[in-house]
């Protein structure tokens, strides 16, 4: 089991549930827009939010954001260590730095001391684009071993300054390299691990890359928190992250199972399945809802779920907790299903 760190009210590692993170794409200097987006992320189920701190002008708005945010706020800092010091003073709950681009050891020490005093953990965010020239020369490319050596070197520097409240990410845009890096890291350290695939891409491909990568790692018990990076609305990152955790049984929520349809289907099952999914969006009580096309597997699968539909010819049977409730015409099926769910 990994060690744990505390980020605001959220525990990362140490056997805590895997937490979901995202990152605002608003201009941090616009505190109203950033807080509005954080509110949407919180409603979607995000637990920790990161914001970019590109320059000094972002610090005063950052203080307003941390004061009003419903989620712990992580400051994303590159290059200028003074921004990390200011962000800690502005009340952030974690700092993400890459010590490799923060500069001389005394600057890293200053950041470690400020974080220590404020009990703010540091994420060492290594990615394939930030591996040092020395390590690139040694490994020949930003290999998994190079990513891990980059992280362990930077972690050792923080340890030297007496700082232990660390988590690590090792992101590459290559799924296989990312998996290899996290597996290697887990072998050499019990530091909490933040999972992610960098520059994963647009909705469809980004979710597939992230699900394959994080799925492989989480199934092996590797990973304490995660962010699905998508070139999309930030709430899609949270939905995808939750779905990945749910698919692995690491989180309970609404699970809609639907058959793929076949030549036996005599009902517009695709429309029904999408409609059920859409109308259950926002429900966060754990339940399994089956939307099945016919009498072959339909009733069995539907009966196994908390609620279900087994399609017939232009009509369907409604099930609740293994029992047939009634037969309903296709047009009323989803309304009746929702009424049944809401009444339970
Ligand atoms: Fe076909 Fe029925 Fe299976 Fe759906 S449940 S795929 S309709 S056999």
């Amino acid at each position: 089991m990994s060690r744990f760190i505390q980020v605001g009210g959220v525990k990362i590692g140490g056997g805590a549930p895997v937490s979901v993170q995202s990152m605002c794409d608003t201009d941090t200097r616009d505190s109203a827009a950033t807080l509005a987006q954080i509110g949407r992320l919180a409603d979607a189920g995000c637990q920790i939010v990161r914001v970019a701190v590109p320059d000094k002008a972002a610090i005063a708005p950052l203080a307003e954001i941390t004061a009003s945010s419903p989620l712990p706020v992580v400051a994303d800092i590159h290059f200028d260590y003074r921004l990390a010091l200011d962000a800690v003073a502005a009340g952030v709950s974690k700092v993400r730095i890459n010590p490799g681009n923060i500069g001389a050891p005394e600057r890293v020490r200053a950041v470690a001391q400020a974080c220590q005093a404020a009990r703010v953990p540091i994420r060492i965010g290594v990615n394939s684009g930030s591996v040092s020239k020395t390590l690139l020369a040694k490994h020949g490319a930003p290999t998994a071993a190079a990513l891990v050596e980059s992280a362990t070197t930077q972690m050792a520097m923080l340890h030297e300054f007496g700082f232990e409240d660390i988590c690590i990410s090792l992101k590459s845009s290559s799924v296989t390299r990312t998996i290899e890096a996290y597996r290697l890291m887990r072998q050499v350290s019990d530091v909490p691990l933040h999972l992610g695939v960098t520059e994963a891409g647009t909705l469809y491909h980004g979710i597939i890359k992230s699900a394959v990568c994080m799925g492989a790692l989480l199934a092996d018990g590797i990973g304490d928190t995660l962010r699905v990076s998508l070139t999309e609305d930030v709430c899609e990152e949270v939905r995808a992250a939750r779905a990945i955790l749910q698919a692995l049984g690491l989180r309970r929520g609404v699970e809609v199972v639907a058959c793929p349809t076949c030549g036996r289907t005599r009902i517009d099952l695709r429309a029904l399945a999408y409609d059920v999914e859409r109308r259950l969006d926002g429900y966060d009580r754990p339940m399994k809802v089956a939307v099945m096309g016919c009498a072959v597997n339909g009733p069995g699968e539907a009966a196994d779920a908390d609620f279900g539909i087994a399609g017939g010819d232009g009509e369907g049977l409604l099930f609740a907790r293994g029992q047939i409730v009634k037969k309903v015409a296709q047009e009323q099926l989803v309304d009746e299903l929702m009424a049944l769910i809401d009444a339970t």
Side-chain angles (χ1 to χ4, degrees):
M1 191 190 295
S2 55
R3 283 186 283 116
F4 81 91
I5 58 169
Q6 187 80 29
V7 180
V10 182
K11 190 175 162 188
I12 295 178
V18 179
S19 49
V20 172
Q21 307 202 24
S22 184
M23 182 169 182
C24 286
D25 60 7
T26 49
D27 184 337
T28 309
R29 290 167 295 191
D30 185 345
S31 55
T34 303
L35 277 167
Q37 191 170 68
I38 293 174
R40 284 206 302 125
L41 283 166
D43 289 345
C46 184
Q47 294 167 280
I48 297 171
V49 67
R50 183 160 46 118
V51 300
V53 184
D55 55 28
K56 188 90 182 159
I59 296 298
L62 181 63
E64 288 172 38
I65 292 165
T66 59
S68 301
S69 171
L71 302 178
V73 176
V74 182
D76 191 74
I77 310 283
H78 286 279
F79 308 116
D80 187 347
Y81 80 106
R82 288 165 303 187
L83 292 174
L85 306 183
D86 291 344
V88 171
V92 297
S93 300
K94 188 168 76 167
V95 171
R96 181 265 163 135
I97 56 168
N98 184 336
N101 70 24
I102 287 291
E106 59 271 22
R107 295 181 171 183
V108 179
R109 182 202 298 267
V111 175
Q113 283 172 344
C115 288
Q116 187 90 287
R119 305 177 75 84
V120 166
I122 293 176
R123 165 154 72 95
I124 298 172
V126 173
N127 56 42
S128 44
S130 69
V131 173
S132 71
K133 287 198 177 81
T134 318
L135 287 177
L136 278 181
K138 177 178 169 186
H139 293 273
T143 59
L147 292 173
V148 170
E149 190 171 341
S150 178
T152 51
T153 307
Q154 295 174 17
M155 190 161 67
M157 193 194 298
L158 288 177
H159 284 166
E160 229 173 82
F161 302 140
F163 192 86
E164 302 281 343
D165 248 1
I166 300 166
C167 80
I168 298 272
S169 60
L170 303 158
K171 300 186 183 182
S172 160
S173 55
S174 155
V175 167
T176 48
R177 187 170 288 172
T178 305
I179 292 173
E180 196 188 342
Y182 279 103
R183 283 182 175 156
L184 263 176
M185 190 73 211
R186 185 73 310 152
Q187 284 170 19
V188 300
S189 170
D190 64 354
V191 68
L193 296 176
H194 168 121
L195 303 185
V197 180
T198 195
E199 294 125 27
T202 52
L203 193 65
Y204 181 81
H205 290 103
I207 287 178
I208 288 178
K209 278 172 105 170
S210 299
V212 169
C213 180
M214 296 177 194
L217 291 165
L218 290 166
D220 282 350
I222 299 171
D224 302 290
T225 184
L226 57 85
R227 177 196 175 197
V228 175
S229 303
L230 294 174
T231 312
E232 244 309 333
D233 180 79
V234 288
C235 291
E236 294 296 340
E237 298 191 347
V238 177
R239 290 185 71 202
R242 292 173 66 101
I244 291 169
L245 294 175
Q246 217 174 303
L248 286 160
L250 294 171
R251 179 164 304 225
R252 291 221 60 198
V254 176
E255 182 187 2
V256 177
V257 296
C259 83
T261 76
C262 72
R264 292 185 193 86
T265 321
R266 295 285 175 271
I267 195 165
D268 187 356
L269 194 87
R270 195 186 301 176
L272 286 174
Y274 276 111
D275 202 12
V276 168
E277 238 178 41
R278 184 181 55 76
R279 290 176 63 173
L280 286 171
D281 198 27
Y283 282 58
D284 70 14
R285 66 191 230 227
M287 66 177 135
K288 182 174 174 184
V289 180
V291 186
M292 306 300 292
C294 83
V296 174
N297 296 320
E301 191 68 51
D304 181 49
D306 296 302
F307 302 96
I309 291 171
D313 192 355
E315 61 185 14
L317 292 174
L318 275 189
F319 288 80
R321 317 227 182 267
Q323 302 296 320
I324 296 177
V325 176
K326 60 176 156 179
K327 189 184 275 187
V328 182
Q330 174 170 326
E331 298 67 39
Q332 276 83 50
L333 263 174
V334 180
D335 284 346
E336 293 271 359
L337 175 75
M338 295 307 297
L340 195 61
I341 291 171
D342 290 338
T344 308

